Amino acid sequence: MTEFRRVQIDGVARTVTVENGAFTWIDGSRHVVDNVVHLPPAVPTKVICVHLNYRSRLDELKRQQPPAPTYFWKSVSCLNGHRGTVVRPANCRFLNYEGEFVLVVGRTTRNITPEQAPDYIAGYTIANDFGLHDFRDTDENSMVRVKGSDTLGPVGPALVTDWDFRNKRLRTLIDGRVVQDANTNDLLWDPHYLLADLARTITFEPGDMILTGTPANSRPIEPGSTIVVEVEGLGTLENRIASAEIAVPSGFGAQPSTSDGVQSIALGSDFRKA
């Protein structure tokens, strides 16, 4: 497996190959990868996410498996990097983490079969598909603000080639405490299927991303916390949560909500215990 990262040094962004935790920069200097600014490891034209793709999440929400995957878009402008800050608006309460792994497209893709999909995949990386569920009542069908608000799309730290997604452990930790612990064998639809399914009607370009879903126990996270998503063979994605100094403006547009519908998603099985 080869590990590629997009990093920024002195305002210059480049993709580098990491070996033994270090890489060579364009001027010949050697850098330790932990000491540089990370960007998302690819530059997508589109980011698509699958709604429910782990049996544990279906069971937690007491949902039936749909006959086929359903999807939503995550805005490119929400993308964030490894060690980037995720910002919760001051008047919002339900910012949920969702640890998952990501398929990154390697070449133009249209009308392929699941069996052909590996030839169109550049590699895989990690995401934390944050959701601002305070807007769930108004954005249930589109997820525009829930999933697409600024900073809510950390991806990284690396694009790893030749990674086998089967039987890999996925964990999410808040301040060192494990809050999600799953295995990719719990997936309903594997990434080869997802790419082929979507590419029946959508043309994918190099760098495009498909987020493959999260297991059970997505919950709200509080500002001041540090969250890490670990995926076996892909590394760790770390981010800090902060509260914005300003609130979502009132007086027009939808306002953050704390309805039962919002809380049932944000709190999962904990809502029914209340």
Side-chain angles (χ1 to χ4, degrees):
M1 295 188 294
T2 304
E3 178 181 327
F4 297 97
R5 301 197 189 197
R6 285 183 67 243
V7 302
Q8 183 172 287
I9 298 177
D10 295 331
V12 178
R14 289 180 68 88
T15 298
V16 297
T17 303
V18 175
E19 296 177 349
N20 299 318
F23 63 90
T24 301
W25 193 239
I26 49 179
D27 60 4
S29 58
R30 193 75 172 159
H31 294 263
V32 176
V33 74
D34 287 340
N35 297 337
V36 298
V37 175
H38 280 75
L39 304 172
V43 182
T45 68
K46 63 186 74 70
V47 180
I48 299 180
C49 313
V50 60
H51 271 113
L52 296 170
N53 199 24
Y54 278 82
R55 292 174 182 84
S56 64
R57 185 70 169 149
L58 282 175
D59 292 345
E60 177 185 31
L61 297 177
K62 298 189 181 304
R63 302 279 184 89
Q64 296 295 316
Q65 180 177 337
T70 60
Y71 305 95
F72 59 92
W73 296 86
K74 201 168 178 79
S75 65
V76 173
S77 61
C78 83
L79 290 180
N80 201 342
H82 174 53
R83 294 182 178 161
T85 299
V86 175
V87 180
R88 189 184 78 178
N91 54 342
C92 291
R93 294 175 51 193
F94 300 110
L95 175 65
N96 278 49
Y97 56 80
E98 293 189 8
E100 48 199 271
F101 74 92
V102 182
L103 177 160
V104 180
V105 175
R107 60 192 179 104
T108 301
T109 307
R110 184 73 159 87
N111 285 330
I112 62 168
T113 66
E115 292 73 25
Q116 293 170 322
D119 294 334
Y120 293 82
I121 297 172
Y124 294 89
T125 187
I126 306 172
N128 199 330
D129 181 23
F130 282 97
L132 194 63
H133 291 293
D134 304 73
F135 286 101
R136 189 95 187 191
D137 282 340
T138 53
D139 289 9
E140 172 71 31
N141 293 324
S142 69
M143 307 285 274
V144 169
R145 285 166 290 200
V146 174
K147 294 291 188 166
S149 295
D150 290 353
T151 77
L152 300 192
V155 179
L159 172 65
V160 179
T161 63
D162 301 319
W163 180 73
D164 186 346
F165 60 82
R166 300 169 184 86
N167 194 30
K168 295 297 189 295
R169 191 179 190 185
L170 183 156
R171 301 199 308 167
T172 304
L173 302 90
I174 297 177
D175 298 328
R177 174 175 59 91
V178 177
V179 292
Q180 289 183 299
D181 194 345
N183 188 289
T184 58
N185 284 347
D186 194 41
L187 284 169
L188 300 174
W189 295 282
D190 69 38
H192 297 167
Y193 184 99
L194 299 177
L195 178 58
D197 180 30
L198 288 163
R200 293 180 303 161
T201 58
I202 300 172
T203 299
F204 284 80
E205 301 296 344
D208 287 349
M209 298 178 181
I210 299 174
L211 278 62
T212 59
T214 197
N217 299 317
S218 166
R219 296 291 187 275
I221 186 170
E222 293 299 316
S225 300
T226 296
I227 186 161
V228 171
V229 182
E230 299 177 345
V231 180
E232 184 181 349
L234 296 180
T236 60
L237 171 66
E238 178 182 318
N239 296 96
R240 186 178 68 86
I241 312 302
S243 179
E245 294 182 0
I246 61 173
V248 176
S250 61
F252 64 95
Q255 296 301 304
S257 168
T258 60
S259 70
D260 284 357
V262 165
Q263 294 186 61
S264 67
I265 296 297
L267 302 178
S269 57
D270 291 342
F271 175 69
R272 289 186 292 273
K273 295 175 184 176

